[in-house]
Amino acid sequence: MADQVEIKLATADDAPAVLDFLRQAATETDAVLIPHLDQVTVDQERQNIEMINRFDDCVVMLAMLGDQPIGIVTVMVLGDRPDTGELGVVVAKDYWRNGIGRLLVEEAEYWFENYSSLSSLVLSVFTINKPAIALYQHCHFVQTGTTTEEGKPALLMEYQR
């Protein structure tokens, strides 16, 4: 499956498909933590993508199967740590455990190492999401702590080159 998937940088023209994808994914898992997702308009999403693409240390990439997004990976600078990017990955439920998440994480790592000036790449993942934890460990993320998100325990992890 992963060999049929193309990874591309998101553009403003992708805004309608990105918004539809994220809204659908939010119904499939409680790991999609995007505040007010139901209130975001296509124009706002278009502006968000354009703004992200202007920054050197932020990126949005899509996993595309044909013209349909089936996954997304983001790296966003943490407001209180401007040298640190936070990784976010979402894959459509129909494509879980097909290598799409790994493909997206590896693309983000490549971008981080070769194009960003960030000094670290971090993420948080719910402790009950064992497949994601295994994926991140396989992709060289190590646990650095614990936290609570949305009232649920989560691991803090950092990429180790």
Side-chain angles (χ1 to χ4, degrees):
M1 161 80 41
D3 60 340
Q4 301 169 0
V5 173
E6 174 191 347
I7 303 296
K8 67 174 242 145
L9 289 172
T11 68
D13 291 339
D14 295 314
V18 167
L19 210 45
D20 288 346
F21 167 76
L22 289 172
R23 286 180 176 148
Q24 178 60 39
T27 69
E28 298 171 344
T29 177
D30 59 1
V32 178
L33 302 178
I34 302 171
H36 314 293
L37 180 60
D38 58 329
Q39 299 170 14
V40 177
T41 67
V42 171
D43 283 340
Q44 289 170 327
E45 186 64 17
R46 183 181 308 277
Q47 291 171 12
N48 289 341
I49 293 171
E50 286 175 345
M51 183 180 63
I52 291 164
N53 286 342
R54 282 191 218 116
F55 291 101
D56 292 337
D57 288 332
C58 296
V59 71
V60 178
M61 291 182 274
L62 302 173
M64 302 292 292
L65 187 58
D67 62 354
Q68 183 68 32
I70 60 169
I72 189 169
V73 63
T74 61
V75 177
M76 300 298 190
V77 174
L78 291 176
D80 60 338
R81 294 169 50 197
D83 64 333
T84 300
E86 182 176 35
L87 181 80
V89 180
V90 179
V91 176
K93 187 173 184 175
D94 288 346
Y95 300 95
W96 289 357
R97 296 175 185 77
N98 281 295
I100 308 306
R102 181 176 178 176
L103 187 64
L104 287 165
V105 172
E106 289 173 349
E107 283 292 325
E109 289 172 344
Y110 182 84
W111 173 86
F112 168 73
E113 291 176 354
N114 294 285
Y115 295 101
S116 85
S117 62
L118 298 168
S119 62
S120 60
L121 185 62
V122 299
L123 62 84
S124 61
V125 58
F126 290 124
T127 57
I128 63 167
N129 193 346
K130 302 298 184 203
I133 293 169
L135 165 67
Y136 297 135
Q137 288 171 333
H138 179 81
C139 290
H140 311 289
F141 280 83
V142 297
Q143 182 179 344
T144 58
T146 60
T147 190
T148 302
E149 291 190 11
E150 302 287 317
K152 296 178 241 172
L155 300 181
L156 298 173
M157 302 182 85
E158 183 172 349
Y159 177 62
Q160 303 292 310
R161 298 177 199 213

